[in-house]
Amino acid sequence: MEPGELVTSAPLAARLDIPSGPLFFPVTAYGPDGSVDLGTYRTHVRRGVEAGAAAVFACCGTGEFHALTPEEFEACVRAAVEAVDGRVPVVAGAGYGTALAVRYARLAEAAGADGLLAMPPYLVVAGQEGLLRHYREVAAATALPVIVYQRDNAVFTPETVVALARTDGIIGLKDGLGDLDLMQRVISAVRTEAPGDFLYFNGLPTAEQTQLAYRALGVTLYSSAVFCFAPEIALAFHRALRTGDDATVEKLLDGFYRPFVDLRAQGSGYAVALVKAGVRLRGLDVGEVRPPLHEPAGDHVKRLADVIERGYALLEEAT
C-alpha cells in the first residue's frame, strides 16, 4: 500500500500488518488557553499521514489520553478520522477501570475509529483472572478490534495471552515492558496453542532503540514517537530495517536515536513532553503538556534541537 492510498475493507489486523511505514502516535494539540485545539490537531495528523504513516493511534500515551475528558477524547478521535479521510486506519486509546474503558471504547466507535488500544487499568495491580476479564469486557463492548497494551500494572503470563488471543475481537499485544524472555515465551505459546494472525508490537518509548532485538523475535511492528517531529528520520530508519540496510540503521541509532534516548532519560514524563517540544521546534505550535506532566527544561530543548539537526544531517550524508 502506498502512502496516501485509501485503505480497503480488509480487517484491521491485515491493514496493520502491511509494513508500509511507522505507526504514528500524534500528540494532542492545545491552544494558548489550554483547551484542545482541533484545527492544529487535524493539521498534525494530516501531515503525518501525508508523510507516510501506516496508521494513526489517536489519544494514546503520546496523545495524553490520561489528560483528556471523555468529550475531548471523542472530539479528538473524530478529528483524527476526518483528517485521515480513510487513507490509513485510526486506532484510539481506551483505559482506566473497566466501566470507563468501555465508555471510551464506545466513544471511539461512535467517532469512527477502526480499532482500540486498550491501556492498563487505572492504579490497581490485578491478578491474571481479573485482567483477562477486564480486557474481554472491553472487547465485547464494541465491534472494534482491540490491541492490548502490556506495561506497568498489566503484565501477562503466556497462558493469559493465549486466552486473550482466543477472545473474539482481540487481535494483538503491544509490549511496553521490554522483557524479551517473556515475549519469546508469549509468542511461542500463542503460536502453538492459539495459531492465527495475532499481532505483536514493540511499544517501548523510542521503540527504534530496541527494534533490532524485537525484530529477532519476529516482531516487526512498532510505535514511533520520533515520527511526530522528524518523520523523514523515522521513515528512513523503518525503510532501512525493512530492507536490511544495517549501515543506515547503525548510523541513525548511534548518531540520532541513542542521543535522543539519553536526553529523554533526563526528565520524568519526557517520553511525551520532549516529543511535544520536538513538534513545536519543527514549526507546529501544539501547545504545552497538561499536568501532571511538565515542560522540558530550556537547556534540554536546546539539546533536542541539536539532536534533531544532527539526525537530518545524517540523512543528507546517507543520500
Side-chain angles (χ1 to χ4, degrees), residues 287-300:
E288 299 184 350
V289 291
R290 282 179 172 176
L293 298 180
H294 67 279
E295 286 298 297
D299 61 324
H300 291 165

Side-chain angles (χ1 to χ4, degrees), residues 41-174:
Y41 182 67
R42 288 189 189 94
T43 298
H44 180 45
V45 172
R46 185 176 63 253
R47 288 180 180 177
V49 174
E50 291 170 351
V56 172
F57 283 67
C59 303
C60 296
T62 307
E64 296 180 80
F65 171 81
H66 68 277
L68 300 174
T69 68
E71 295 77 16
E72 290 172 330
F73 169 84
E74 183 178 14
C76 284
V77 174
R78 193 177 301 278
V81 170
E82 292 169 355
V84 166
D85 194 25
R87 290 172 288 181
V88 298
V90 175
V91 179
Y96 301 120
T98 306
L100 276 177
V102 164
R103 181 182 178 191
Y104 278 97
R106 289 172 175 162
L107 289 172
E109 185 176 44
D114 298 292
L116 300 168
L117 178 63
M119 291 180 283
Y122 172 71
L123 193 60
V124 296
V125 178
Q128 296 295 297
E129 180 181 355
L131 288 170
L132 181 58
R133 181 180 174 186
H134 170 81
Y135 291 105
R136 281 179 165 169
E137 289 193 22
V138 173
T142 73
L144 298 180
V146 175
I147 300 160
V148 175
Y149 195 178
Q150 169 170 268
R151 60 175 294 171
D152 300 324
N153 60 326
V155 177
F156 310 106
T157 64
E159 294 76 17
T160 298
V161 181
V162 168
L164 290 169
R166 289 172 173 167
T167 300
D168 287 344
I170 296 180
I171 64 168
L173 178 74
K174 180 183 179 187

